[in-house]
Amino acid sequence: IVPIRSGDGREGKATEALLVSFVDLTQQRRVEQMRVDFIANASHELRTPLASLSGFIETLQGPARNDAHARERFLKIMGEQARRMSRLIEDLLSLSRIELNAHVMPEAAVDLVAVVGHVRDTLSPLGHERGVEIGFANSVGPVTVRGDRDELIRLFENLVENAMKYGGSGGRVEISIGRAENDVVVGVRDFGPGIAPEHVPRLTERFYRVDTAHSREQGGTGLGLAIVKHIVARHRGRLGIESTPGEGATFSVRLSGQFHQDEKSDVGTAA
Ligand code: ADP
């Protein structure tokens, strides 16, 4: 603690020093608390499928040993639980890799239209399975951004996957590429139930879900948007979330872009 003297003209300074160290400590505690919560949440998320796996192993070794039908059914569930654990571990590793490099801005020139097209092509078959059409409209033509291609793919995959997962069955997802001043804006829009305003500011927190059971049912880990937030930050971009409950949601990513064509001339990448 800084001694606060009076009457020697240093009063103000000492008070300031005291305040600064107090703020730092609060911030330090907050970071520490977040770290502790994160470890607790991650452990809990891993423990649940692990407990289920252990239970099924015991049942298969005991009561269900000679029941071929039960064995088949249990092995299917065990496979799903194992996949859930590996998805979670993959996401945890991605998050820590991105965080480790948080202060280094990736610098490669990336063709953003190709990245978004790739994401659409990769996810379209899954969309077909679920009866979801993925549309893509580009109103700016070719555009390059500085960044990391794989991370940008991951970012838009997460947003499109969410739009398919939460956008309601038989729906539509629209990806758009547009321009705002010197920035490029990629929007991912769905027409599902949307998100109530009180949840919006918390969506990018790790493990935050509006409906945990629904997220798990859809194969969610609760880390998708946390990963999105970190990738956007590393690219010095901005993430926007807009939603009118009952009408859908739009997630948009704004990045500094280099445009190669007059904005008015649409190159017709829309499908
Ligand atoms: P999850 O693995 O649960 O999908 P995310 O971090 O990707 O985790 O998303 C966090 C939560 O945000 C989801 O569980 C869901 O409740 C909500 N959410 C994300 N995208 C949408 C969307 N397009 N429409 C409605 N809710 C969404």
Side-chain angles (χ1 to χ4, degrees):
I1 290 180
V2 183
I4 302 176
R5 293 194 218 161
S6 56
D8 63 358
R10 294 176 58 196
E11 205 172 345
K13 234 179 193 166
T15 311
E16 216 171 80
L18 189 67
L19 253 181
V20 167
S21 67
F22 173 71
V23 169
D24 275 351
L25 204 60
T26 310
Q27 171 69 3
Q28 211 172 314
R29 287 217 181 102
R30 217 171 59 88
V31 170
E32 184 59 23
Q33 187 60 47
M34 276 168 67
R35 210 173 61 82
V36 169
D37 288 349
F38 175 59
I39 293 171
N41 282 333
S43 309
H44 175 76
E45 294 286 334
L46 281 168
R47 203 168 48 190
T48 312
L50 193 59
S52 154
L53 275 175
S54 305
F56 281 117
I57 290 170
E58 266 174 39
T59 314
L60 285 172
Q61 284 169 333
R65 185 191 292 264
N66 299 315
D67 182 342
H69 179 67
R71 207 168 51 227
E72 193 68 23
R73 208 159 53 83
F74 291 167
L75 284 172
K76 193 162 168 263
I77 302 172
M78 290 167 78
E80 278 162 19
Q81 300 291 10
R83 278 191 292 280
R84 180 172 150 198
M85 288 178 76
S86 66
R87 266 199 310 273
L88 185 60
I89 290 166
E90 277 308 310
D91 278 358
L92 286 169
L93 287 173
S94 296
L95 202 54
S96 72
R97 248 194 321 265
I98 297 161
E99 273 190 308
L100 194 67
N101 295 317
H103 305 293
V104 192
M105 188 179 171
E107 284 293 342
V110 182
D111 176 346
L112 190 67
V113 181
V115 161
V116 174
H118 173 88
V119 169
R120 185 203 186 207
D121 293 345
T122 311
L123 293 177
S124 281
L126 187 64
H128 265 287
E129 262 173 44
R130 298 178 177 200
V132 179
E133 193 71 35
I134 306 175
F136 176 19
N138 173 7
S139 62
V140 299
V143 53
T144 310
V145 295
R146 294 261 153 220
D148 178 305
R149 184 175 179 273
D150 291 343
E151 283 187 16
L152 290 169
I153 288 176
R154 183 72 199 268
L155 153 62
F156 295 116
E157 270 178 1
N158 282 0
L159 293 181
V160 176
E161 269 170 3
N162 276 352
M164 293 199 298
K165 283 194 299 198
Y166 303 109
S169 60
R172 206 166 83 245
V173 173
E174 282 175 7
I175 313 176
S176 60
I177 302 187
R179 181 171 181 164
E181 293 156 5
N182 284 326
D183 294 337
V184 57
V185 183
V186 181
V188 177
R189 179 175 185 197
D190 69 68
F191 301 85
I195 306 149
E198 66 269 25
H199 294 295
V200 171
R202 301 199 58 191
L203 292 185
T204 57
E205 285 175 23
R206 298 153 173 188
F207 298 116
Y208 188 86
R209 291 132 151 162
V210 176
D211 177 345
T212 305
H214 181 56
S215 155
R216 290 216 176 112
E217 216 173 89
Q218 297 285 330
T221 60
L223 293 174
L225 289 178
I227 292 173
V228 162
K229 180 177 102 173
H230 279 88
I231 296 177
V232 173
R234 204 161 104 76
H235 285 75
R236 310 284 185 267
R238 275 190 3 225
L239 175 70
I241 307 174
E242 279 170 57
S243 177
T244 308
E247 290 180 18
T250 303
F251 286 73
S252 56
V253 177
R254 185 168 168 159
L255 299 165
S256 169
Q258 200 182 347
F259 298 88
H260 305 284
Q261 196 171 290
D262 191 351
E263 195 182 343
K264 300 283 176 292
S265 48
D266 194 320
V267 285
T269 31

